[in-house]
Amino acid sequence: MSAPELLTPAEVARLTARSGLHLAVDRHHAVAATANHIHSVVSLLRELDFAETPPASHRVGEERSDATV
């Protein structure tokens, strides 16, 4: 898998303007950095192999408590 292209502050400015969002110029860098970080985390999660892992809603042999005192 190739490395993802990073979103630049200039691209953030173009995309926010295109979508009709009014983003202050001084926020473009922070938004690009945040978006790039989120993209890197999601990319790592996609690479994980969960083949034998049941969904979180699947609990075998676990007792449920109702928090009554």
Side-chain angles (χ1 to χ4, degrees), residues 1-6 39:
M1 181 178 261
S2 64
E5 292 185 31
L6 296 177
H39 189 271

Side-chain angles (χ1 to χ4, degrees), residues 1-7 34-50:
M1 181 178 261
S2 64
E5 292 185 31
L6 296 177
L7 188 62
T34 302
N36 289 329
H37 177 73
I38 291 169
H39 189 271
S40 69
V41 170
V42 170
S43 294
L44 287 173
L45 290 173
R46 285 184 176 154
E47 293 177 10
L48 296 176
D49 181 16
F50 291 109

Side-chain angles (χ1 to χ4, degrees), residues 18-42:
R18 181 177 174 190
S19 67
L21 296 173
H22 302 287
L23 185 63
V25 174
D26 62 338
R27 302 293 301 150
H28 294 168
H29 181 75
V31 171
T34 302
N36 289 329
H37 177 73
I38 291 169
H39 189 271
S40 69
V41 170
V42 170

